[in-house]
Amino acid sequence: MSEGHAVRKTETPATIESLQTDFRTLGIEKGMVLLVHSSLSAMGWVCGGAVAVIIALQEVLGKTGTLVMPTHSSDLSDPSQWENPPVPKSWWQTIRETMPAYDPDLTPTRSMGKIAETFRKQKDVIRSTHPQSSFSTRGPQASYIVNNHALVYGMGEHSPLARIFDLNGFILLLGVGHSSNTSIHLAEYRADFPTKRIVQESAPITHAGSRIWTTFEDIDVDDSDFDRLGEDFLRSEAGKVVRRGKVGVADCQLMPQRAIVDFAVNWLAENRGK
């Protein structure tokens, strides 16, 4: 969405102060561990853009709260799998040999939005070491959440998603739907369904001071049914814990991460691959 479109759909500009009011009304409280998936353009015109959103979130969470965002870099992957856009097969080996290694400080996000990309650059933010599925976080629980992020099964039991689950964290869908709800991937690792399969992934990393192209196991994650899963969750008894409201002009949902993950484990077992 262009900035002009954002202006046209906005009656009153969102500010740091108004965003704080909207976040509190939605149910965000001091001390929460909060995983945020976001679309800045969905919020209408925000005075200060992504920076204002981050400041407002951190003010509402307070010094005892921990803010987390996905900062994935899916382009650090094998070019044979690329579809958007694909590249010629003759390029594949060159890419594998020369793509710069993942660097938590330097590697940009891909398709994560302006808020997450801005947040990862903030002072005192810690980013996990996974070359494709990293998360960035700031707050007293930051180290616990992102340290020891395993290379294999990158959104499974040894990932920031599982540590947020341990901490009874919350998810904020800020202008996005459940197709962006990364925590449902954790449920994919935990659920048993007939189409579940192991795949080989690869990426450039730094090991012992040198760049290497490494290969590792993961499950074949699939978000194509996440919106349908999310709709069923909202209609269910478990979904009654979801708080819904507006931040700026964006439709938002706030929920305990455990509620959607536990629901998704059962939903995937009952619905996927049948």
Side-chain angles (χ1 to χ4, degrees):
M1 180 188 300
S2 69
E3 186 173 10
H5 188 192
V7 170
R8 288 191 293 273
K9 78 172 187 178
T10 305
E11 292 185 10
T12 303
T15 64
I16 293 174
E17 184 176 352
S18 73
L19 292 171
Q20 289 183 61
T21 298
D22 290 346
F23 288 138
R24 290 191 178 104
T25 300
L26 190 62
I28 298 172
E29 300 176 355
K30 288 187 182 298
M32 277 184 172
V33 173
L34 184 66
L35 172 59
V36 178
H37 302 279
S38 60
S39 167
L40 181 62
S41 62
M43 301 173 67
W45 196 81
V46 178
C47 182
V51 173
V53 177
I54 293 165
I55 292 172
L57 281 165
Q58 290 175 161
E59 285 293 323
V60 174
L61 290 171
K63 292 182 179 180
T64 58
T66 301
L67 183 59
V68 190
M69 296 191 195
T71 47
H72 301 175
S73 44
S74 58
D75 48 326
L76 270 65
S77 57
D78 195 274
S80 65
Q81 301 175 1
W82 293 357
E83 296 179 354
N84 189 27
V87 295
K89 186 174 182 178
S90 60
W91 296 9
W92 292 356
Q93 193 56 33
T94 299
I95 291 168
R96 292 172 185 140
E97 292 173 356
T98 64
M99 178 181 284
Y102 172 72
D103 181 333
D105 295 323
L106 183 60
T107 302
T109 60
R110 183 178 176 87
S111 303
M112 294 289 102
K114 290 183 179 178
I115 296 172
E117 173 62 14
T118 302
F119 177 66
R120 77 163 182 90
K121 302 175 186 177
Q122 186 182 10
K123 183 180 179 181
D124 298 328
V125 166
I126 306 172
R127 189 178 185 186
S128 68
T129 57
H130 199 283
Q132 296 172 357
S133 304
S134 69
F135 289 77
S136 291
T137 181
R138 184 174 187 264
Q141 299 290 350
S143 295
Y144 174 77
I145 290 170
V146 300
N147 285 355
N148 304 311
H149 189 173
L151 182 62
V152 297
Y153 307 109
M155 287 186 282
E157 299 304 332
H158 299 286
S159 75
L161 293 174
R163 302 292 73 77
I164 294 167
F165 188 94
D166 294 343
L167 292 167
N168 293 306
F170 284 75
I171 298 166
L172 172 62
L173 300 181
L174 178 53
V176 299
H178 283 277
S179 62
S180 299
N181 192 345
T182 310
S183 293
I184 302 176
H185 288 306
L186 177 60
E188 288 187 285
Y189 288 81
R190 295 180 173 181
D192 184 17
F193 50 90
T195 57
K196 190 172 185 177
R197 67 188 186 100
I198 304 298
V199 294
Q200 296 294 314
E201 298 286 353
S202 54
I205 63 169
T206 299
H207 179 70
S210 299
R211 176 209 177 274
I212 63 168
W213 185 264
T214 190
T215 301
F216 50 94
E217 281 191 348
D218 211 330
I219 70 163
D220 189 16
V221 295
D222 176 14
D223 61 12
S224 62
D225 53 5
F226 283 13
D227 277 332
R228 184 161 62 93
L229 186 159
E231 291 170 3
D232 287 349
F233 173 64
L234 290 172
R235 287 192 292 264
S236 72
E237 186 69 23
K240 290 182 178 179
V241 297
V242 178
R243 297 283 298 272
R244 303 171 81 169
K246 295 278 190 181
V247 174
V249 300
D251 293 320
C252 299
Q253 300 177 47
L254 177 70
M255 69 204 75
Q257 190 213 40
R258 286 192 175 194
I260 181 66
V261 171
D262 288 344
F263 176 88
V265 169
N266 293 325
W267 190 95
L268 291 167
E270 293 174 2
N271 291 276
R272 186 171 280 186
K274 297 182 180 178

